[in-house]
Amino acid sequence: MNLADLNKVARAVVAPGKGLLAADESTGTIKKRFDAINVASTEESRRDYREMLFRSSEAMNRYISGVILYDETFWQKAEDGTPLVKLIEQSGAIPGIKVDEGTQALPACPGELVTVGLDKLAERLKKYYEGGARFAKWRAVIDIGPQIPTMTAIRVNAHALARYAALCQAAQIVPIVEPEVLMDGDHDIDRCYEVTQRVLNKTFQELRVQRVALEGMILKPNMAIPGKKSAKQVSAEEIAEKTVRLLKNCVPAAVPGIAFLSGGQSDEEATAHLNAMNRIGGLPWPLTFSYGRALQAAPQKAWAGKAGNVAAGQRAFTHRARMNSLASKGEWQADLEKKAA
Ligand code: 13P
């Protein structure tokens, strides 16, 4: 492992004013997104859609540091035969790859999941590196409910995240470590805080046990946020203040950067929350975005599967990328949204 090179890539991922495009939806997930816009999900339509995003030159040049890809996309070619990975590289962004293989039910823990995909991971990482991937992603999923999460679910998922991270670094690939505490329930922000604290503490404990070099990774966490069905919704300032306090308590300063998931927040909420955190300032790490839905909902709607809408889709994507870039510097303002509409 060459730690200096890993650190260089990690710092590039969180370079000032830039963040990640999470375009790594599995075939099942992208079908759900396409169903919502009445587009049939085929190899070709998935390619056309992602090619539209990666050819958004302003967004890709100025606001996007890297793209997380799904295996199918990683090996796909644009309509003119250029590999999509090459398109991303040519835009100045770094190609990355989702390497987990989704979740399975966790035995003896009803309602809980464990992320799988460690078998043969070393071989897969080698192929992805040769194909141009310089970072990877693994997502663990922790749900909040009356009796959950159990410590068992937190431990097995943290263990797998650390196993993945260690294998990535051995393959000279920067691991994005994503322990996602879901915002699906009716819990309040303090319950999310408490669960996320346990999850992050366990994850960093496992990373240390498995000798992962913190300087060569990126953390992709959820924010401290109430469940979508919570009766107690709170201000952007409270989410920002609690998330920053939580991260300061759990994340070592050696980590080069933190890139949040959007997790089901609306486009503007995800931007406003990131912005409010960066307004607080004085943090040991850059805070930026690694958004899937919050960057893509608008371009998906504008595109709607029609070749004639590609320019509109690219405009919508560029707008969201620019808004989140500003938020990563604490320079976003709500009235910038209206001006662009
Ligand atoms: P969302 O921003 O839609 O949560 O997706 C980010 C991601 O990569 C989830 O694994």
Side-chain angles (χ1 to χ4, degrees):
M1 171 180 65
N2 179 333
L3 185 53
D5 283 352
L6 286 173
N7 179 256
K8 207 167 135 195
V9 171
R11 283 187 291 114
V13 163
V14 295
K18 292 195 174 187
L20 292 171
L21 165 63
D24 59 326
E25 300 84 1
S26 63
T27 310
T29 302
I30 197 74
K31 182 179 179 317
K32 272 195 251 161
R33 307 276 182 262
F34 279 15
D35 284 349
I37 52 170
N38 284 316
V39 174
S41 180
T42 64
E43 230 179 288
E44 198 183 341
S45 66
R46 295 191 288 270
R47 192 277 312 273
D48 289 348
Y49 167 66
R50 282 153 173 160
E51 180 175 350
M52 170 183 85
L53 297 178
F54 308 156
R55 284 196 192 274
S56 301
S57 49
E58 186 191 339
M60 296 292 294
N61 274 301
R62 297 175 61 178
Y63 312 127
I64 301 295
S65 57
V67 184
I68 316 174
L69 300 165
Y70 184 61
D71 180 76
E72 176 187 88
T73 320
F74 191 83
W75 305 111
Q76 263 178 334
K77 292 190 165 78
E79 208 178 354
D80 69 1
T82 313
L84 294 181
V85 162
K86 270 269 154 334
L87 275 190
I88 293 167
E89 287 170 349
Q90 283 164 4
S91 77
I94 309 169
I97 179 77
K98 175 232 246 345
V99 297
D100 69 68
E101 294 178 328
T103 54
Q104 285 181 2
L106 183 60
C109 293
E112 296 192 285
L113 302 168
V114 61
T115 301
V116 297
L118 289 168
D119 290 351
K120 307 245 167 59
L121 181 55
E123 288 92 321
R124 289 163 56 219
L125 287 167
K126 192 163 179 288
K127 287 206 194 90
Y128 288 133
Y129 185 89
E130 285 162 6
R134 292 296 174 267
F135 67 90
K137 175 189 120 171
W138 178 289
R139 171 176 177 255
V141 186
I142 302 290
D143 204 357
I144 299 182
Q147 308 292 329
I148 59 171
T150 60
M151 207 52 217
T152 310
I154 293 175
R155 283 177 73 164
V156 296
N157 277 293
H159 182 266
L161 273 168
R163 287 263 289 129
Y164 140 82
L167 286 165
C168 282
Q169 292 190 335
Q172 206 52 41
I173 287 182
V174 171
I176 296 189
V177 173
E178 181 181 9
E180 175 173 4
V181 176
L182 297 177
M183 59 178 292
D184 290 343
D186 60 5
H187 54 274
D188 65 12
I189 187 170
D190 295 325
R191 174 101 166 104
C192 174
Y193 186 110
E194 174 250 326
V195 170
T196 307
Q197 185 167 41
R198 274 159 55 204
V199 167
L200 290 176
N201 285 340
K202 196 63 186 170
T203 301
F204 279 99
Q205 186 186 18
E206 274 297 333
L207 290 168
R208 274 193 288 272
V209 167
Q210 298 191 41
R211 305 185 180 187
V212 173
L214 300 184
E215 296 90 341
M217 64 163 273
I218 295 287
L219 179 70
K220 176 162 173 165
N222 53 283
M223 299 176 192
I225 196 165
K228 272 187 239 167
K229 293 181 235 141
S230 172
K232 281 180 13 201
Q233 293 300 323
V234 301
S235 65
E237 286 65 35
E238 182 171 344
I239 288 168
E241 183 263 313
K242 288 191 170 160
T243 304
V244 163
R245 183 150 62 90
L246 170 65
L247 294 173
K248 277 185 165 173
N249 273 285
C250 302
V251 184
V255 172
I258 296 176
F260 292 98
L261 58 96
S262 61
Q265 301 176 47
S266 74
D267 299 1
E268 273 192 52
E269 280 166 357
T271 305
H273 296 158
L274 177 64
N275 188 62
M277 282 184 244
N278 280 307
R279 285 265 167 93
I280 295 172
L283 306 172
W285 352 253
L287 298 184
T288 190
F289 57 93
S290 175
Y291 292 163
R293 282 162 285 181
L295 275 172
Q296 295 186 66
Q300 278 163 7
K301 217 167 137 212
W303 171 65
K306 301 198 172 64
N309 291 339
V310 163
Q314 291 179 327
R315 271 198 304 280
F317 173 50
T318 304
H319 174 65
R320 286 268 44 93
R322 188 167 83 85
M323 294 297 102
N324 286 307
S325 164
L326 289 168
S328 74
K329 298 184 284 186
E331 293 170 5
W332 174 83
Q333 284 172 351
D335 60 358
L336 293 171
E337 298 285 352
K338 288 176 210 90
K339 272 183 215 153

